[in-house]
Structure formats: C-alpha cells, structure tokens
Amino acid sequence: MIVINAAASRRRSRLRDVSLLSATMLATGLLHAAEAAQFGVVVKQVPDPMLAGLAIPETAPTMGMWSGLKAWPMNAITLALLPSGKVLSFGTPGGNPGIQDGRTFAVWDPAQGFAGGHVTLAGVVGVNSFCAAQAFRADGSMLIAGGIFDNGNDKGSVVLNNTATGVTAAAAKLANDRYYSTMLTLPNGQQLIMGGSYPYLGGWNDPQGSIDKGYMTGMTPELYDGTRWRSLFGAKSRDAFGPENNRWWYPRAWIAPNGQVFGITSEKMWFLDPTGNGTVRVTNFKEAQRNATSALDAPNVGPVSTAAMYETGKILQVGGNSYDNGTGFLASSRASVIDINGGAPVVTDTAPMSVGRAWANATVLPTGQVVVNGGSKFNDRGGDDVVLHSETWDPKTGRWSVGASGAVYRGYHSSAILMQNGALLVAGGGAPGPVLNENAEVYYPPYLFTTVNGQVGLAPRPQIVSLNTAQLQHGQSLQFELTSQNGLSQVVLLGLSATTHSFNSTQRRHVVAFTQAGTAVTVQAPASGNIAPPGYYQLVAIDQKGVPSPGVIVALGAGFAAPSQVAAPTVPTGSGGQNGGGGTGGTGTGTGGTGTGTGGTGTPTGPGTVVSLQASNYTTSYLTNVGGAARLIVPASAGDRQQATFRMVPGLSGQGVSFQSSSSANQYLRHQNFQILQQANDGGDIFKKGATFTQRAALAGACGCNAGTCSSYESADWPGYYVRHQNFVFSIAKPDGSDLFKQDASFCAAPPLDASAASTPVSLQASNYTTSYLTNVGGAARLIVPASAGDRQQATFRMVPGLSGQGVSFQSSSSANQYLRHQNFQILQQANDGGDIFKKGATFTQRAALAGACGCNAGTCSSYESADWPGYYVRHQNFVFSIAKPDGGVSFNQDASFCSAPPLQQ
C-alpha cells in the first residue's frame, strides 16, 4: 500500500527536486556517486547484454520469448545466482557433459554476455560435489555439502568464497553420506541438511533391505554451526526421509512461519523442529506414485515433481509421479497449493497444467507468478514425450497461461534460476538422459515487453538508484530511491536462486509493506527469520503495470555481510519496434475516406514523430525543458515526462528537423548564445535557423541507449556544431575528437515519455461544410474556416483515451491540460480540474457516422456520442457546437458527422 501523510506531502516537492538534481549530477559526472545520490549506497549500473538486440516476436507481451541456445562451459546440473550477481554452475567437467563429476566449478559474469565472463575453478581433493546440497553463509560464501565419493573419500564439503574466485575445503565433515540431500539456512543462521543416502544405493525397490544394509544414511538430519556438524537424533524419520517412494531424494523443504522446517517428500508432509535434539511431525500429503491412465489421474508427488514458495507460507507443488529418473509412470499435470501459515498444512488443488511434466523446474517471479519450464510427459523420456513450452501459474486467478517454447528438452539434471534482470536462465539436462545439454538459454517473461502503437518492444521499467543500506536487519526499515514512469504498486524480497534436481531450495518471495514520498521509498523488513530466513535477497520494485525493476541484491539478517558489490543491470529503455519488423498502416472505417499509415522499423524518427531524447551514456536521463532551458535529468513526475517529450517536425528553416514542445505548440528547442533553450517561435529567420538541426549518424557509433534510432544533431546554421550535454546543461559545441564528447552528443529518439503526446493529432472537419472545422474560439467550440496559423492551431486536437476510462477525449494541441467537454449542453474547451464531472463531460464514444455517406473525405468519418448522456451527439448548429438528441432528420445527421482529418497545425 502507499501511505502518504501530511509530512510526506510537504516533503514531496523538496525530495523530488533533490533527487532529480542529484541523479542528473551523478549522470553527468559533476559529482561522485556517493555525493549525488539521494541515499548513501549507490547502485552500480552494469551492462545487460542478455536484453540487448533481441528479435522480439509479436507474441512476447503475452507469451514471453526464448533467446535460443547459448554455449555453456558444462552441463549445469546445479545453477545458482550468487550475492555478487555472478552465476555458479557445477555437476560435470567442461567438455564432458555426460560425466557425473562435481569437482569443477564454472562462474559467469552476466554483465559480460554469453561470449565472455566465464571462469573455471578447480575443486579440492577429497570432495566430489556431484548431486550435493548448497546454502549461503553469513559472509556471502556458499557452502556446498555432500555428493559422491572422491577416490574413496566422502562426507566432505567445500566453500565457494564470497567473491566467487576460489573453492576451499570445509574443515568439518558430515556424520553421514549425503547424496541427494537438501540444505537450508535456519532463522538462527545455521545450516540444516536432511535426506540423501549412500551414493547410488538404496531406495524404493527394497526399502527394508536398504535400511538393513546401511544405505539410508540421510534419515537423521544434521546441523552446522559454522565449525562442526551435529546430528539431530530426535528428528530421525523413516516417514520423512526413508526409502519408501524415494522420500530421501532432495526433500522439498522451506522455513515455515512458525520457525520450523516444513517439507514434502513423495506422499508425506512434515514439520521438523530443529531445536534441541530435534523432532519431526509427519502427516499424509497425497497418494504415492503409481501407474496412471492420464496426466490428470496421476498424483503430483515424488522426486520428479517441482515446487516453489511463491508467497510467505504458500507453496505450489506441481507435476511428478515417478520414483527416480529411471523408473516411473505417466507424469502428472496436477497442481496443489499448500498453505503452512496456520497450525496444520492446508492442501488445496488448483488448476492443472496443460500437460503432465516430470523433471520440470518451477521459478517464482517478482510478481508472485510461477513459471514452469521443461519436463517430459513420461518420466525422463525423450521423443514425443518432450515438453518444450513454458507455462505460468498466476496465484491471483489460480490459472495457467501457456508461454513460448524453448529450443531443447530440459529434463532430469536441468536447472533454472531467476536473474537480476527478471529473466530466467535455464541450463543443463542429461548425465544420464536422452540429451547432454552443454548449453543454456534465457526465458524472458511477458512482463518485460509491451506494445506501443502496434509495435512490440521492451517495457519501460522502474529502477532502484540508491539505498540507505545493503545490509538489512529483521524488523528494520530500508529506504531506496526509485525512478519509475508508471508509479509503484509493490515491493518484494526474493531469495537468490540455487537450483538442482527440479528444486530451487533457496528461493522464496516475501511482499514487504512500503510508504512513498516522492522518489524515496521506505520498506519494512520482515519481522523475523521465520518469515524470511537470513540470507541474500533481490530487492525488487514493481510498477503499477506489473513490470518489475531489476533486482538489487541485499543481505538480510544479523551477521550477514553486505554483498561484495551493490549493482543491478542497466534498464533498457526501448519500447516499440525492436522486433525489427515494420509497422502497419491503418484504414479508416467511415464512408468519408481512408486513413493513412506507414510502416517503420524501430522507433520512427521522421518528421511528425513524437519522441523523448535519451542520452546514449546515461540511459535513465533525457533532454528536458526545465524553466525554459534544456537540462539532462531523470524525469520522475508526469510533468517532467511531459517536458521531456517533443514532436520532431520539419525544420522551421525549410531543411532538417525541429523539436516542437508537446505541451506548447508554438515553442521549440533552439540555440541562443550556444545554449539550448525552449522558446516561443517569433516567426523570424534567426529563430527558425536556430531551431533547425540536421539529423546525423550518431557520433558515438555504438550507443548505450537502444530505444529507437541513435543520432547526433548538427546545427543547421552553425555547421560542425552539435547538440551535446555537459554538466547536465545542453549546448551546441564543436567535437573535440574525444569519446566523451561523442557519447555526450549522441541520443536515442526513444518512445515518448508522455504517452498522451503520441496520440493521434486530428482536426474535425464538418461533413456538410468541408472547408470548416471545429475550432476553439475564446473557450467555445465554433465551426469556422481556419484562416490563420492561430486558427489552425486552435482547430487541432489530440484524440486521447477517454478521461473517464472509456471512449476518447479531445486534448488541445496548444494547452495540454485543456479538453473539449460539454457543459449545459454546449461544447467548450476548458482546463481539466480532475473531477469526475469534467472527465465524464470530456469523454465521447466514437460511432459510425450518422450521415452514412459523408461529404468530407479526409480520414475516418464518425459521430461522437456523449459518454454520460447516452443518445446525445456532438453537432454544430448555427456555427455553435453542442450535444443534442438526433431528431431523425438528414440535416441533424450531417451536422453530427465529422471526418478526423489530418491536423491543420503540425
């Protein structure tokens, strides 16, 4: 929720001014990061090659998209996002994707792209971490415990250091062999390991024999306090971790809100209390794995299922129905929600998936949705049983939506994690199996995309700029600075991902309460480690359109160290046209004429295009009119975004282009005394020349921004002088040959930050008086023949979405806050006071023309019905406009029909 009190209201203007100025000064290098940001911990913006240059399909906003296959150093049986933002994988040696060997560790820096940033680390003698368990420690390192034998050695663990630059042996040894175990960090910061067995031996096909032979070594959990392992003999449990139905295979387990450990192992559910000697309470979950007649008949249980905690104390358990990767049955499509917020778990079935899946992966998104990818319709079988399409479960509706399809089968030994940029990294599969996947691919969820004016592209995203701390204590508040075009609806903490064998054991999602004052957001950390165990989390802000910010990794809990760096991927700011396809023209529906439209690639930059000029080297900053001068700022408010939006029109001097204000049609950007200003056109030659620029190829060559065409703008009357920013001020200057100048003088013609400015400009031409147009004359709508430039401007409107939430409204082209509305039946042009009466009176429903055949022939011919007075239409009579009820006569029908003609004033 958003809580704004009186004090916050009084502070809003000051906070906004401070944050905009500081962000601008930071962007231009005038101040150091620590001096410029609103809060002391500045989030380092790092490149995000994963989101660069995507060929985006039209279905991306509803189904997401996949990247295609990327080379990966190994078959990634285990995959984890580290507190440093790097990615760890292990499970096979490089170049041998079919070999089971956990003595090689690959670390990847996503900021360097798939082609680089890979470092291979050797393990330690005596420990083989194939099919091990993993958990984060308080210093940011990762403890990797258990696995298989290394030349006769067993029960060892290794530690990946907090910078992911080295692997060392842990001094303490486990009391028992732990092959296929699960490890969690408890609320007190200690690690608990449970389940597993003697490597490769024991299980469902000979339960008692497996116990008698000593193979069931994982039935007694162990606790690690940082120096030694201690067995919890009171928690030894055959029902929870025994051989029946392979309950010992990677137990699905989480910290419950009561502070105990909750788990699902095949057909059982249980609570484990780790205090003292430990205890376990076991209850039935569902029937065990069995032969099934259909995916809906098959129970969603067993090691081949997948599960995720999508909200505090709420778990989605889905798919499965086999004992292991070699023996099993038809896979289940069923899904269940387990609520563990009360005294006993409550199981409720939810809608099933579209197909059965065994060995799929479930990943929680910042929005609380759960993406399931991969799997097979029959255990780990290939061929026709392979499932390539993803699907997403929405907890708000309890329904699944089918997503895009990956390139290859991801089954047993595959992995998937949530990256900081909001996409899923998916890798591995095989060893053994029908595939040996020494590759990876990326799934981009639908929330990363949008459609603007028929063009599909990357959605605008919020971004966390700075924080007051990256080391958060339970019950403590945290403040961060946010830039967002679309407000803020939710803030969440998401545990960093660490996935193996279809279970992401470290990921969980917690929604935090927040208040907001300007760009400053204050969140309240979870009250205790029972709600959110100590560890490392992505802090994510979600805007009002459901689009998440890139995650910023923070530490949570007493004694947990801040990440080695506080960074987040740079937000790509493009939207529309990035799929490389052309736009489409439009055809009018009225009998009066046919509208026109042209295709385009990317964001068009021809004359008439509405754009915001985004800096190449500071991609959250835009050229903005601030009190008549052009400044480089991060537009935070609706007013800022309006002042950062311009219409690129034919150059006033008869060549090139000019930049017309979107809010004041007679004002343009121009240079004067080398400075770039926004001023009213006085009609003189000096002004026209100073307001005209030649669009050139970007001096930077490769631009940091990727929204629309990247260009540089040369002064028309000062050849060789280019528009540039320096110390957050714009001027024209001559290039000095430096890379800094070239970047400062390069801009992307990004989609308009003020979306209303991109709406259709029209002039309403009378059907029966084709030289006459609806024109604002002194605040009243009149039918005249516009003779002067002023008349033509007052006869030009933007057709925008209706202010009342339906239909259309007509916004003045010269005064952005003024609209046509009816009052006492008369049509007037007035300022929007924000009230419901005004909004309803300014909203009209576009109907087929009452006239049938219109005399005008420019654009679509329509009639406009009042939204709040149904049956009353806009008409002219005696040159005055009003709303009136049709009398059935031909004259009324013609008076109430208009062509949405091309705008008389550009």
Side-chain angles (χ1 to χ4, degrees), residues 500-522:
T500 190
H501 293 77
S502 294
F503 182 47
N504 191 332
S505 61
T506 54
Q507 195 194 29
R508 55 189 292 150
R509 174 177 173 269
H510 180 73
V511 180
V512 295
F514 74 91
T515 59
Q516 184 175 9
T519 58
V521 179
T522 302

Side-chain angles (χ1 to χ4, degrees), residues 577-859:
Q578 294 184 46
N579 58 358
T584 56
T587 302
T589 57
T591 58
T594 303
T596 59
T598 58
T601 301
T603 301
T605 55
T609 301
V610 183
V611 299
S612 291
L613 291 179
Q614 178 192 29
S616 168
N617 47 354
Y618 298 103
T619 57
T620 59
S621 299
Y622 295 78
L623 186 156
T624 306
N625 171 42
V626 179
R631 296 288 188 264
L632 186 70
I633 71 168
V634 180
S637 68
D640 293 334
R641 293 190 287 273
Q642 185 181 75
Q643 295 302 317
T645 300
F646 302 87
R647 187 174 296 277
M648 191 183 292
V649 299
L652 296 184
S653 70
Q655 60 177 308
V657 296
S658 293
F659 293 93
Q660 181 188 43
S661 166
S662 68
S663 58
S664 300
N666 194 44
Q667 292 196 356
Y668 295 80
L669 295 180
R670 56 87 57 101
H671 70 78
Q672 187 178 46
N673 295 326
F674 299 98
Q675 302 301 302
I676 301 296
L677 309 174
Q678 180 176 306
Q679 295 180 344
N681 179 8
D682 61 9
D685 287 343
I686 292 177
F687 186 100
K688 292 178 181 178
K689 291 177 181 177
T692 301
F693 304 89
T694 303
Q695 188 175 10
R696 302 292 190 192
L699 295 179
C703 293
C705 52
N706 61 1
T709 303
C710 191
S711 305
S712 294
Y713 296 93
E714 184 182 10
S715 169
D717 59 341
W718 281 73
Y721 282 70
Y722 286 77
V723 176
R724 76 164 297 188
H725 65 81
Q726 187 177 35
N727 294 335
F728 64 89
V729 175
F730 280 81
S731 63
I732 58 169
K734 201 165 187 177
D736 58 11
S738 69
D739 289 338
L740 176 62
F741 186 104
K742 293 174 183 177
Q743 286 288 342
D744 287 351
S746 298
F747 306 89
C748 280
L753 297 181
D754 179 12
S756 67
S759 54
T760 307
V762 297
S763 291
L764 292 179
Q765 180 188 30
S767 168
N768 48 355
Y769 296 97
T770 56
T771 60
S772 299
Y773 294 78
L774 186 156
T775 307
N776 171 43
V777 180
R782 296 289 187 264
L783 187 69
I784 69 171
V785 178
S788 67
D791 292 339
R792 291 190 290 273
Q793 182 175 318
Q794 294 302 318
T796 300
F797 303 85
R798 298 192 197 286
M799 190 182 295
V800 299
L803 296 184
S804 70
Q806 59 177 311
V808 298
S809 293
F810 294 94
Q811 181 188 42
S812 167
S813 66
S814 58
S815 300
N817 195 44
Q818 294 196 356
Y819 296 80
L820 295 180
R821 57 88 57 103
H822 71 77
Q823 188 177 45
N824 296 327
F825 299 97
Q826 302 301 302
I827 301 297
L828 309 174
Q829 180 176 306
Q830 294 180 343
N832 178 8
D833 62 10
D836 287 341
I837 293 176
F838 186 100
K839 292 177 181 178
K840 291 176 181 177
T843 301
F844 304 89
T845 304
Q846 188 173 11
R847 304 291 191 192
L850 295 179
C854 294
C856 52
N857 61 2

Side-chain angles (χ1 to χ4, degrees), residues 374-388:
S376 173
K377 290 182 245 182
F378 191 101
N379 205 357
D380 193 34
R381 207 156 65 183
D384 293 339
D385 289 317
V386 166
V387 182
L388 295 178

Side-chain angles (χ1 to χ4, degrees), residues 432-521:
V435 292
L436 296 175
N437 286 329
E438 199 170 43
N439 52 55
E441 52 193 321
V442 179
Y443 176 65
Y444 303 92
Y447 56 43
L448 294 175
F449 306 102
T450 190
T451 301
V452 178
N453 296 328
Q455 293 289 303
V456 177
L458 294 171
R461 300 181 69 181
Q463 187 157 31
I464 296 172
V465 178
S466 64
L467 311 92
N468 69 335
T469 181
Q471 188 178 16
L472 185 61
Q473 305 302 314
H474 289 101
Q476 177 188 358
S477 63
L478 174 147
Q479 290 184 295
F480 63 83
E481 178 184 359
L482 180 72
T483 62
S484 176
Q485 292 186 28
N486 296 304
L488 178 64
S489 67
Q490 197 173 62
V491 181
V492 298
L493 289 169
L494 283 140
L496 301 190
S497 295
T499 302
T500 190
H501 293 77
S502 294
F503 182 47
N504 191 332
S505 61
T506 54
Q507 195 194 29
R508 55 189 292 150
R509 174 177 173 269
H510 180 73
V511 180
V512 295
F514 74 91
T515 59
Q516 184 175 9
T519 58
V521 179

Side-chain angles (χ1 to χ4, degrees), residues 82-86 107 121 136-143 159-168 536 561-565:
L82 303 174
S84 63
K86 296 177 181 179
V107 177
L121 304 175
F136 294 110
R137 301 178 69 197
D139 63 352
S141 63
M142 175 173 273
L143 175 65
V159 176
L160 175 74
N161 66 22
N162 62 359
T163 57
T165 55
V167 177
T168 57
Y536 293 90
S564 57
Q565 71 166 353

